[in-house]
Amino acid sequence: MQNRLLNLSLRFVLPLALVLGLFAYAVIPFVDDLTVRWSVRDLDVRSQSLANALQEPLGEYLQAQEERRVLQLFDRAVQDERLYALGFCDPSGRLQYHTANYPATLGCRSGSGGSGGKNQSLVHLGRGPVHVAESPVEHNGAYLGRLILVHDMGFIERRSADTRNYVIALFVLLAVVISLITVFVAHLSWRGWVSSVKRMLRGQSGQHTATPTPPEVQPIESDLRTLLNELNMERRSRDDATHMWSPEKLRALLHEQLAGDEVLVVSNREPYMHVRNRNGIQVQRPASGLVTAVEPVMRACSGTWIAHGSGSADREVVDRNDRVPVPPEKPSYTLRRVWLSKEEEQGYYYGFANEGLWPLCHIAHVRPVFRSSDWAQYEAVNQRFADAVIKEARTDDPVVLVQDYHFALLPRMVREVLPKATIITFWHIPWPNPESFGICPWREEILEGLLGSTILGFHTQFHCKNFLETVDRYLEARIEHEANTISYGGKLSQVEDYPISIAWPDGTEKWPSVAECRASVREEHGMPPDHLLAIGVDRLDYTKGIIERFQAVERMLEMHPNMVGRFTMIQIAAPTRSSLDEYQNFEARVRALVQRINSRFGSSNYQPIILKAEHHGSDQVNRYFRAAEACVVTSLHDGMNLVAKEFVAARDDDRGVLILSQFTGAARELHEALIVNPYHVEQSAEMLYRAVTMPEAEQCERMRSMRTLVKDFNIYRWAGRMLLDASRLRQRERIMSKIRSHSRTSLRRVV
Ligand code: F6P
């Protein structure tokens, strides 16, 4: 505060005093001159009135030659303190009468000439300036001589000095008052500025707070915020640049930035399923983008992954706390299984999550179904998983990574018990626009649940924007669109886009070569070595555009008959959510379409489409990726789609073409893919043809560029960026709570 005042004095008050001083210096001579002129005019008038008053008696006495009475008259007149002396000059210019102190050097001054003139002047005598006025004296029409009135001017100097002092005092007073007002106003507006800027830095706007932004801050408010965002972006991209993201970097980040804090992951799908079959218990990796992405992160971070134990032999391998160390071949983290009853699984997973939220969030023209009984199970299961998180947490501020639409309510439930936890929720599927989301009967509860998160992540900025707009529509929350923050119930949530990715494969030298993969796959399916292959790998889900893809194959064979017998589409389709009618119907439609196309274009030794509707392990999938000319991803709507990135990672020969739906998050990153609208059959058919006939040089150019991107923008970057943001928020939270407790202590001391 003292410094600020000193600063203010130096910058404003001193220059002001200087200007006022100079001004006073210029004004004082003028004021002096004015004072003298006013005083002289005053004396002129006085002299004239006095001469008029003396005219009558003086004329009489002079005519009667009564010298004594003339002198008495003069002596009485000079009783006036300002009239210094009087004299009378006869018509010949002789000083006939005068008072005792009449200056001898003055004699009979004649300025008027003639009998009727009046004259005034300033005369400098040894004692200083005097005012001399002359006035003719007449009596009964006869001119008798001149009366000379001498006024002392000492009082004028005194008056001048007084006026000068008043002027100086006035300027000093003015300077003091202006300075005080300035300091006061500056102090007030400084406080306003500081609190506005602080609010901005905290990511709140005047629009949404009780204290409005002062008008002088408003013009720069958005600039400041933009600047802040740019700084954040710059810092984030600097972080990106300095971290070539790898498991080691992620581990180091956890130790440096999060001081080794514990990491807990919650998801519905478990990363490893223990399944009993004829050969005993086997471990399976589920077909799940989520698992593909998060598992390498957990290997790097250790910690605990809490998930639904859905494998038929899952219970047989856990300890008494339902924990099992994974990965089985080299355990590095703990899988904690949560058991669900058939009813719970039906209501929470199949019902609310997959018949309600899944079609709600995907634009695939399948109507969502919402049932109260499903909602009740969804709430109950979220609570059960939240309890598991709370139980597993060894500290009161763990980092909890909540995965996907199965757990929209869990962040808030955990937050209520562990207020210091850093909860990062990632929504793996698209977020719809507010109108579409508004269909959900429990929309407010879902939004409130998610806003228990510290960070809420989506694949794309577009989904973030949809989410912010949805909250804006249905909750009374403070939203900062530039900063992407939502303040609800006193809690701040950051909404960010973190495009998910895959772990860049290592140990690729152990992979069978591309030539081997090509040969073995073709041989296995009775195809000649130069047979053209496209590969599709999806869960058998209506959002994946599998029907549209097959229609494109059919259309291509119509448009390019030379491809009949030369081209095959192999579709790996892992069964999923098969107990739901929608999925059963979908599978039936897919099978029927394949059959129709195959019977139309196929023969005894040729099938244009080979449908492999069963689960395939990652090595098997990799072999197909490496064997194919093209990979086809035609999702009708997809948060990201990791199959596209896995295909790119598999092609270390820099060959192969990716056909990618414009409605996937991946299309925003993989620009060198052949981007298609899956609803446009002819366009997709043409792209398919172009892909399988693309010259090698073009394939190479496109593939290299995509490989560089996927390699750099890998899953460790996805997790690393979220954890870095989380660590910054944690640090900020720690500082804030220190400040809060410090100010509480100070307050108690004062009280
Ligand atoms: O795409 C959303 C998602 O949860 C993915 O994360 C995952 O790949 C897929 O759905 C798995 O679905 P499910 O677990 O129902 O088989």
Side-chain angles (χ1 to χ4, degrees):
M1 177 70 184
Q2 271 175 350
N3 281 349
R4 223 166 48 232
L5 281 178
L6 187 69
N7 217 353
L8 200 69
S9 312
L10 288 175
R11 280 160 182 245
F12 183 77
V13 178
L14 285 184
L16 175 77
L18 201 69
V19 169
L20 287 177
L22 284 173
F23 193 58
Y25 182 74
V27 157
I28 283 168
F30 171 73
V31 171
D32 270 355
D33 186 48
L34 211 63
T35 316
V36 170
R37 272 201 256 159
W38 279 342
S39 304
V40 168
R41 201 175 306 147
D42 186 26
L43 285 180
D44 289 347
V45 174
R46 279 176 65 92
S47 301
Q48 190 55 53
S49 340
L50 196 58
N52 290 345
L54 292 175
Q55 185 74 232
E56 190 61 37
L58 184 61
E60 263 180 38
Y61 300 154
L62 285 172
Q63 223 163 37
Q65 295 188 347
E66 292 186 56
E67 181 183 346
R68 193 179 52 85
R69 299 190 75 174
V70 170
L71 291 176
Q72 275 177 349
L73 182 67
F74 277 15
D75 285 341
R76 264 203 316 277
V78 293
Q79 298 293 306
D80 182 313
E81 62 166 320
R82 291 197 192 152
L83 186 63
Y84 178 63
L86 275 176
F88 175 77
C89 295
D90 63 15
S92 66
R94 184 178 60 92
L95 183 64
Q96 193 177 353
Y97 304 109
H98 60 86
T99 53
N101 52 357
Y102 189 87
T105 49
L106 198 59
C108 261
R109 294 178 55 86
S110 177
S112 63
S115 60
K118 292 175 185 118
N119 194 14
Q120 294 94 17
S121 62
L122 292 183
V123 175
H124 283 270
L125 302 174
R127 58 181 300 280
V130 290
H131 177 268
V132 181
E134 296 177 17
S135 182
V137 183
E138 291 170 359
H139 192 68
N140 295 335
Y143 173 68
L144 302 178
R146 286 175 292 130
L147 178 65
I148 308 216
L149 302 98
V150 181
H151 271 97
D152 183 10
M153 288 195 59
F155 84 95
I156 296 183
E157 270 182 7
R158 281 195 303 279
R159 187 187 276 181
S160 247
D162 285 351
T163 314
R164 204 178 307 129
N165 290 343
Y166 286 138
V167 168
I168 290 171
L170 179 74
F171 273 100
V172 169
L173 191 70
L174 211 61
V176 170
V177 169
I178 293 178
S179 303
L180 285 179
I181 292 175
T182 308
V183 170
F184 184 63
V185 170
H187 179 64
L188 283 186
S189 59
W190 170 259
R191 281 177 54 180
W193 266 74
V194 169
S195 60
S196 313
V197 172
K198 271 187 190 162
R199 264 206 319 277
M200 267 180 260
L201 294 178
R202 269 191 240 112
Q204 301 166 353
S205 119
Q207 248 178 308
H208 303 287
T209 51
T211 335
T213 306
E216 66 274 15
V217 181
Q218 280 167 10
I220 60 156
E221 188 178 7
S222 79
D223 284 354
L224 266 180
R225 216 171 301 111
T226 311
L227 190 70
L228 200 67
N229 284 340
E230 277 169 11
L231 283 175
N232 270 338
M233 303 271 282
E234 199 189 306
R235 193 183 52 195
R236 286 177 69 170
S237 58
R238 206 176 43 235
D239 290 341
D240 269 0
T242 49
H243 296 86
M244 265 309 294
W245 291 102
S246 66
E248 295 71 39
K249 283 284 172 199
L250 192 61
R251 256 192 298 270
L253 179 147
L254 270 173
H255 286 275
E256 285 161 19
Q257 307 280 333
L258 290 164
D261 291 326
E262 64 173 330
V263 176
L264 298 165
V265 168
V266 197
S267 74
N268 172 68
R269 188 59 64 199
E270 56 183 342
Y272 295 93
M273 290 164 82
H274 289 87
V275 186
R276 180 168 285 284
N277 60 20
R278 265 177 275 123
N279 307 321
I281 295 178
Q282 286 200 327
V283 179
Q284 249 187 30
R285 296 287 304 277
S288 156
L290 181 158
V291 169
T292 309
V294 181
E295 212 271 336
V297 174
M298 275 310 270
R299 284 185 192 221
C301 304
S302 303
T304 303
W305 186 327
I306 300 161
H308 171 210
S310 55
S312 55
D314 274 356
R315 286 177 195 259
E316 296 175 46
V317 295
V318 294
D319 65 11
R320 60 196 170 88
N321 294 312
D322 300 322
R323 298 186 188 129
V324 56
V326 284
E329 66 283 2
K330 191 181 170 205
S332 59
Y333 66 94
T334 304
L335 171 59
R336 155 77 150 88
R337 286 175 169 147
V338 174
W339 315 113
L340 297 181
S341 67
K342 279 277 157 263
E343 296 70 41
E344 282 174 328
E345 191 179 5
Q346 181 57 46
Y348 136 84
Y349 173 74
Y350 288 109
F352 194 77
N354 287 318
E355 285 192 289
L357 290 179
W358 180 266
L360 180 77
C361 293
H362 288 91
I363 308 170
H365 313 287
V366 170
R367 293 158 68 105
V369 178
F370 290 107
R371 302 178 195 93
S372 296
S373 54
D374 291 345
W375 171 247
Q377 292 292 5
Y378 187 82
E379 275 185 303
V381 171
N382 268 251
Q383 191 60 63
R384 290 198 51 204
F385 274 81
D387 293 345
V389 171
I390 293 157
K391 198 165 163 216
E392 289 298 320
R394 281 176 280 110
T395 57
D396 64 348
D397 62 347
V399 176
V400 187
L401 304 174
V402 182
Q403 306 300 317
D404 232 346
Y405 59 100
H406 308 94
F407 296 116
L409 306 179
L410 181 140
R412 188 167 183 199
M413 293 169 168
V414 172
R415 165 87 45 230
E416 274 163 11
V417 183
L418 299 175
K420 287 203 227 152
T422 300
I423 304 174
I424 306 175
T425 302
F426 193 79
W427 194 260
H428 288 257
I429 61 177
W431 188 274
N433 63 45
E435 286 76 26
S436 304
F437 188 77
I439 292 172
C440 177
W442 297 280
R443 60 195 184 196
E444 284 86 4
E445 286 85 339
I446 289 190
L447 294 173
E448 283 172 347
L450 286 171
L451 291 178
S453 314
T454 318
I455 293 178
L456 195 49
F458 295 92
H459 291 297
T460 66
Q461 279 180 12
F462 185 68
H463 298 151
C464 293
K465 188 171 145 284
N466 276 352
F467 182 78
L468 292 172
E469 284 171 3
T470 307
V471 171
D472 208 7
R473 180 77 62 89
Y474 300 114
L475 292 184
E476 287 292 321
R478 277 203 317 257
I479 300 181
E480 270 300 324
H481 288 275
E482 288 91 351
N484 277 359
T485 55
I486 300 173
S487 181
Y488 183 71
K491 168 85 193 62
L492 195 73
S493 301
Q494 181 83 41
V495 180
E496 284 296 338
D497 62 305
Y498 303 99
I500 206 166
S501 194
I502 55 163
W504 189 250
D506 50 11
T508 54
E509 63 287 343
K510 292 191 204 121
W511 286 355
S513 70
V514 167
E516 283 166 346
C517 294
R518 287 182 63 88
S520 71
V521 166
R522 282 167 180 76
E523 199 182 306
E524 203 174 292
H525 295 90
M527 298 166 183
D530 61 347
H531 196 78
L532 300 174
L533 270 187
I535 177 82
V537 181
D538 305 86
R539 285 181 304 105
L540 203 38
D541 194 295
Y542 54 80
T543 59
K544 300 295 178 185
I546 297 173
I547 289 192
E548 288 72 10
R549 188 178 309 171
F550 293 167
Q551 286 167 343
V553 170
E554 181 178 32
R555 191 79 186 101
M556 184 193 74
L557 297 178
E558 284 168 1
M559 290 157 72
H560 301 279
N562 61 327
M563 286 287 144
V564 178
R566 276 197 68 205
F567 166 86
T568 295
M569 165 101 229
I570 296 183
Q571 177 65 50
I572 291 174
T576 181
R577 307 169 191 170
S578 330
S579 67
L580 295 180
D581 285 352
E582 200 66 56
Y583 285 79
Q584 288 170 10
N585 295 341
F586 179 69
E587 184 175 346
R589 282 170 57 213
V590 168
R591 287 186 185 280
L593 183 62
V594 172
Q595 207 173 24
R596 187 176 64 70
I597 295 172
N598 281 349
S599 47
R600 182 174 170 201
F601 294 99
S603 61
S604 56
N605 57 356
Y606 168 64
Q607 284 186 313
I609 300 175
I610 298 175
L611 178 65
K612 293 171 158 302
E614 61 196 331
H615 180 78
H616 283 62
S618 57
D619 290 347
Q620 290 168 294
V621 171
N622 202 45
R623 189 171 70 107
Y624 280 104
F625 281 150
R626 288 163 73 77
E629 267 69 32
C631 173
V632 191
V633 175
T634 47
S635 308
L636 304 181
H637 202 190
D638 217 331
M640 173 54 68
N641 193 290
L642 291 182
V643 169
K645 293 188 175 179
E646 285 178 323
F647 172 67
V648 168
R651 297 311 298 256
D652 57 359
D653 61 334
D654 292 340
R655 302 292 186 281
V657 180
L658 175 64
I659 295 174
L660 184 57
S661 160
Q662 67 187 72
F663 305 118
T664 60
R668 296 178 190 247
E669 294 181 272
L670 301 174
H671 304 292
E672 291 76 16
L674 297 183
I675 306 291
V676 293
N677 174 354
Y679 291 96
H680 192 324
V681 182
E682 278 74 24
Q683 187 201 54
S684 302
E686 264 317 315
M687 286 297 190
L688 192 53
Y689 181 74
R690 188 175 158 199
V692 294
T693 57
M694 186 179 282
E696 287 216 341
E698 186 181 344
Q699 290 180 36
C700 193
E701 204 176 313
R702 288 173 181 270
M703 186 52 84
R704 271 197 192 142
S705 161
M706 291 192 286
R707 282 175 64 79
T708 309
L709 183 125
V710 177
K711 186 176 179 200
D712 291 346
F713 286 30
N714 56 36
I715 190 61
Y716 305 109
R717 175 181 182 267
W718 173 78
R721 280 185 56 217
M722 285 197 290
L723 292 173
L724 267 178
D725 288 349
S727 100
R728 280 185 208 114
L729 294 175
R730 272 165 93 85
Q731 275 167 13
R732 193 166 78 177
E733 196 43 53
R734 279 174 187 158
I735 293 168
M736 294 302 279
S737 70
K738 267 190 197 150
I739 292 172
R740 276 196 294 271
S741 78
H742 180 73
S743 47
R744 268 198 300 274
T745 321
S746 318
L747 195 69
R748 268 200 296 276
R749 271 200 214 116
V750 172
V751 174

